[in-house]
Amino acid sequence: MSTIVLGGDLPLNRLGFGAMHLTGPDVWGPPADPAAAHAVARRAVELGVNFIDTADSYGPGTNEEVLADALFPYPEGLVIGTKVGQSRPSRHEWRPLGRPEYIRQQAELSLRRLRLDRIDLFQLHRIDPKVPAEEQFGALKQLQAEGKIRYIGLSEVTVAQLEQARRQIDVVSVQNIYNLSQRKHDDVVDYCERENLVFIPWVPIASGDLARSDGALGRIAKQLDATPAQVALAWLLHRSPVIVPIPGTSSIAHLEENVAAASLELTAGQVAELTAEAG
């Protein structure tokens, strides 16, 4: 796997793991089979994944606990990134909540659940439109100054929001929805590449018409004896050197398939064909 350096000193292999699916249905409660969830997390690390993405809202809370139960004491070099600022009032609700006191409270709870003294990557899950952005960024900056978080990231932001944040805090990563068929954040990817920020696409595997067996993904997958999902992940890795996809699954077989995409080489022509059809 190729690597990228996060924040100047944390090398990340360029295919991570999104742990969200290691929870109950609707990302609510603990997984039905905790032992199986632990096995998936451990297998990810065995396969060379050294960046795992979670959030306080997954469960809520239980996803962080699953990772700690599975992996603590953490192997050297493993980076666990978590997120704050997305509340779960009920099973089917996701609401931004960026009050500074809430951000600080959730940071303390994430530290406790993950059994960490410092969180390597702490990302604002959403900017809460009801709270001044500078107050949300200020809470993150204070946590960093106190040594409770190492690096700060943002999620679901525009270039303008990213630039606003960077006038107040040092941002090292952006986590936006992005895949071959959902590319509204092309400008954010380009900005991150120019500024050497890590871009973490969530929902990294394309779906819909593009993923049909007679679509570009299907055709190229047949050429390479690969799956459409693997080709979609490989396209992301070719799209920009700062991209670190985080495909998630609760299946070891699916996990192994996803990680294998890191070694899938696409030709320039295949990349161009995929990009053109998706565009």
Side-chain angles (χ1 to χ4, degrees):
M1 251 188 250
S2 61
T3 62
I4 185 172
V5 177
L6 177 74
D9 63 353
L10 291 179
L12 301 184
N13 292 332
R14 283 192 58 221
L15 205 148
F17 175 66
M20 183 179 74
H21 293 290
L22 305 185
T23 56
D26 304 314
V27 199
W28 188 261
D33 187 343
H38 296 164
V40 170
R42 293 183 185 123
R43 183 60 178 147
V45 174
E46 289 172 358
L47 291 169
V49 170
N50 70 347
F51 173 59
I52 297 179
D53 172 81
T54 182
D56 67 339
S57 55
Y58 300 163
T62 60
N63 198 243
E64 294 174 329
E65 292 171 348
V66 164
L67 292 176
D69 288 343
L71 299 172
F72 188 86
Y74 300 113
E76 185 176 356
L78 178 65
V79 175
I80 295 181
T82 193
K83 299 184 288 296
V84 69
Q86 185 90 299
S87 67
R88 298 292 302 279
S90 68
R91 185 184 194 110
H92 299 290
E93 290 181 278
W94 301 74
R95 292 187 183 177
L97 183 50
R99 294 197 304 270
E101 65 272 21
Y102 180 76
I103 289 174
R104 292 184 55 79
Q105 169 189 284
Q106 294 306 104
E108 295 290 351
L109 292 173
S110 289
L111 284 164
R112 188 180 308 171
R113 288 188 293 254
L114 288 168
R115 306 178 202 172
L116 292 170
D117 296 321
R118 180 179 64 177
I119 295 168
D120 280 332
L121 180 62
F122 198 60
Q123 300 188 107
L124 187 62
H125 210 159
R126 294 291 186 276
I127 295 176
D128 185 348
K130 297 180 180 179
V131 177
E134 60 269 20
E135 292 185 12
Q136 299 171 68
F137 303 150
L140 297 172
K141 188 172 184 177
Q142 185 177 356
L143 287 165
Q144 189 176 50
E146 293 171 358
K148 293 179 179 178
I149 63 176
R150 188 170 188 172
Y151 292 122
I152 297 169
L154 301 176
S155 180
E156 282 307 295
V157 290
T158 64
V159 169
Q161 289 171 322
L162 184 50
E163 289 180 330
Q164 177 190 0
R166 294 183 75 201
R167 288 192 286 270
Q168 186 175 350
I169 55 176
D170 184 15
V171 177
V172 302
S173 67
V174 175
Q175 183 167 336
N176 284 8
I177 190 168
Y178 190 78
N179 59 53
L180 187 54
S181 56
Q182 292 175 290
R183 291 169 51 197
K184 67 177 182 178
H185 292 300
D186 268 329
D187 61 335
V188 181
V189 176
D190 293 338
Y191 179 93
C192 287
E193 185 170 337
R194 288 195 303 272
E195 299 295 319
N196 197 31
L197 308 179
V198 173
F199 184 89
I200 305 165
W202 61 278
V203 188
I205 297 175
S207 59
D209 290 345
L210 187 69
R212 296 194 322 260
S213 60
D214 60 343
L217 276 177
R219 292 194 302 272
I220 292 172
K222 288 179 182 176
Q223 294 169 13
L224 299 174
D225 193 25
T227 67
Q230 288 175 323
V231 174
L233 291 170
W235 178 84
L236 283 172
L237 294 172
H238 284 75
R239 167 65 176 85
S240 170
V242 301
I243 284 182
V244 179
I246 50 167
T249 180
S250 58
S251 158
I252 286 181
H254 193 194
L255 168 70
E256 292 173 344
E257 175 187 309
N258 288 339
V259 172
S263 59
L264 192 63
E265 290 291 336
L266 302 179
T267 67
Q270 289 167 334
V271 172
E273 181 182 350
L274 289 164
T275 304
E277 183 163 325

